[in-house]
Amino acid sequence: MSLVVVGSVALDTVETPFGRAEAVLGGSGTYFSAAASLFHPVRLVGVVGDDYPVDELGFLRARGVDMEGLERASGPSFHWVGRYDFDLNTAHTIDTRLGVFADFKPQLPASYRDAEWVFLANIDPDLQLEVLDQVSSPRLVACDTMNFWIQGKKDALLRLLERIDLMLLNEAEIRQLTGKANLLRGAREVMARGPKAVVVKKGEHGAMLYTDEGVFFVPGYPLEQVFDPTGAGDSFAGGFLGHLAAGGVVDVEHLRRAMVYGSAMGSFAVERFSAGRLKDLTVEEVHARVREFRRMTHFELAERAGEALGSGIR
Ligand code: AMP
C-alpha cells in the first residue's frame, strides 16, 4: 500500500519580487511528502547533511511520513539558490550545491521495498534508477526531472524513461528533453520511450495530461497573490500521486481527478514562502478548493441554443 518517494531534501535560498528567504526548508522530496501525506502514507528516501534543521521536518513526521529512509551524512546539505522575476513562472537557478547528495548511495529500508507506488522526484537520474532497482514489484512508477539533469545526465534519464509508467515535467523541460516545440508531439515522443502517461505542468496556466485516450486539461487555481512558486511542481506531484494511491485505481477517470488534486496542491504551495502553507493545510481545505475547480470549469452544452443562434444569424 505504501508510496515511496526519493528526492532532494534541501535548503533553499530563494529571491522573489516579494522578498528573500535564506536557507529555508525545501527540496523535491520534502514538498512531495508534505503534499502527498495529506492523502496517503509516505515513505521518504533522501539524505541531509549535518547542518540540516531536522526539527523543521517534524510536521512531516506528525503527518505520518516515514523517515527511516532519510539518511544523515556528514557534510553540507543539498542547497539550491534560485530567483524568480516579476512573472513568477520561471525559476532561474543561481547555484546548485549538491553537498551530501554527491556521494549518496540510497539504501532502502526493508519495509520500503514492497512499495506499490513510487515517485522518483527531481534528483540525479542515477539515484532515481538506484532506488527503482530496490523496489520489488511496484504498481505505478512516476518521475520528475529538471533542466539541470536533462542537460547533465540525459543518458541516465532516457534509461529511466524505459522503466516508468508516468512522467511529470514542465513545458520548458519537455521541450528541452525532446527537442520538440509542440507539447503534444513532445508528449508523444516521451510516451514512445516508455511512459503510458505524461503530465506537462504549465505553471499558473495549469497542466495537461496525455494518455492513449487523449488529452485532459486542468487550469491553475486563480490566486490573487503568489509569494513563492518554489515547490509548486513537487506539490502538484504529491497531490496527484497521493490522491491516486489513496483511491487505489489507475484509469483515466482517476488520473483526471488526480490532476485536479495536483493543481490544487500546487496552488496552496505558492501562497507562502517555503513549505509554510503546506504545514497547516488540512485535507478539508483541499477538498473545498477541488470543489472550486469543478465550479470554475463546469459548463452545460447548449447545442440547441447554438443552433437557434446560428439560424438567427443566417
Ligand atoms: P519545483 O517544485 O519544481 O519548484 O521544485 C523546487 C525544489 O527543487 C526546490 O525546493 C529545490 O530544492 C529543488 N531543486 C532545485 N534544483 C534541483 C536539482 N538539480 N535536483 C534536485 N532538486 C532540486
Side-chain angles (χ1 to χ4, degrees):
M1 279 289 284
S2 77
L3 167 56
V4 162
V5 56
V6 60
S8 51
V9 179
L11 295 171
D12 285 350
T13 292
V14 180
E15 210 176 298
T16 80
F18 307 106
R20 183 181 158 87
E22 185 90 34
V24 291
L25 205 70
S28 56
T30 312
Y31 279 108
F32 178 89
S33 302
S37 58
L38 279 178
F39 308 99
H40 194 79
V42 173
R43 295 182 159 152
L44 174 63
V45 180
V47 62
V48 291
D50 40 25
D51 55 352
Y52 206 78
V54 272
D55 289 351
E56 289 188 35
L57 297 173
F59 80 102
L60 292 180
R61 207 167 272 121
R63 219 177 252 172
V65 177
D66 186 337
M67 303 226 189
E68 200 191 333
L70 182 65
E71 193 182 309
R72 291 195 70 173
S74 63
S77 297
F78 180 96
H79 196 144
W80 178 70
V81 184
R83 170 178 61 79
Y84 297 87
D85 294 333
F86 190 62
D87 82 353
L88 289 171
N89 252 341
T90 313
H92 303 281
T93 295
I94 296 167
D95 200 3
T96 302
R97 303 174 201 153
L98 292 179
V100 290
F101 261 105
D103 302 313
F104 180 47
K105 290 269 160 257
Q107 275 303 319
L108 262 61
S111 58
Y112 283 33
R113 294 176 186 244
D114 63 353
E116 269 195 272
W117 312 88
V118 178
F119 186 58
L120 308 167
N122 172 30
I123 200 175
D124 185 334
D126 280 322
L127 295 180
Q128 293 175 312
L129 281 162
E130 279 179 42
V131 166
L132 193 50
D133 284 341
Q134 295 174 53
V135 181
S136 49
S137 53
R139 221 170 117 189
L140 183 124
V141 182
C143 90
D144 187 8
T145 193
M146 75 179 281
N147 51 7
F148 187 81
W149 304 115
I150 299 172
Q151 195 180 329
K153 291 261 181 138
K154 191 163 175 179
D155 289 348
L157 194 56
L158 294 180
R159 268 185 281 125
L160 179 68
L161 285 194
E162 292 170 15
R163 299 181 51 190
I164 63 160
D165 303 295
L166 190 146
M167 184 171 210
L168 295 108
L169 67 187
N170 71 33
E171 49 190 327
E173 290 157 357
I174 195 168
R175 289 189 173 115
Q176 184 185 0
L177 179 64
T178 64
K180 301 262 187 283
N182 180 281
L183 298 181
L184 194 53
R185 288 178 185 212
R188 251 192 239 124
E189 170 108 3
V190 172
M191 286 164 76
R193 290 183 177 273
K196 291 183 278 296
V198 178
V199 174
V200 179
K201 297 165 288 174
K202 297 156 73 80
E204 65 177 313
H205 305 298
M208 307 195 71
L209 167 73
Y210 299 89
T211 66
D212 279 346
E213 293 179 56
V215 180
F216 176 74
F217 176 72
V218 62
Y221 185 76
L223 289 169
E224 267 193 42
Q225 191 140 35
V226 172
F227 273 100
D228 174 12
T230 315
D234 308 309
S235 304
F236 182 105
F240 182 91
L241 275 165
H243 183 73
L244 213 53
V249 180
V250 185
D251 59 15
V252 167
E253 184 193 325
H254 286 78
L255 287 171
R256 285 176 171 222
R257 198 163 50 236
M259 289 286 286
V260 183
Y261 276 86
S263 192
M265 289 308 302
S267 71
F268 282 116
V270 305
E271 285 183 357
R272 276 188 231 150
F273 266 106
S274 180
R277 182 63 178 104
L278 299 181
K279 284 185 184 166
D280 54 16
L281 184 64
T282 65
V283 81
E284 289 73 28
E285 288 177 294
V286 183
H287 291 318
R289 189 160 288 185
V290 165
R291 282 194 290 277
E292 277 287 291
F293 272 89
R294 190 173 156 84
R295 194 188 56 73
M296 285 187 316
T297 56
H298 184 81
F299 67 96
E300 299 291 344
L301 281 178
E303 280 156 356
R304 282 173 181 279
E307 276 164 25
L309 184 65
S311 57
I313 290 169
R314 262 185 249 123

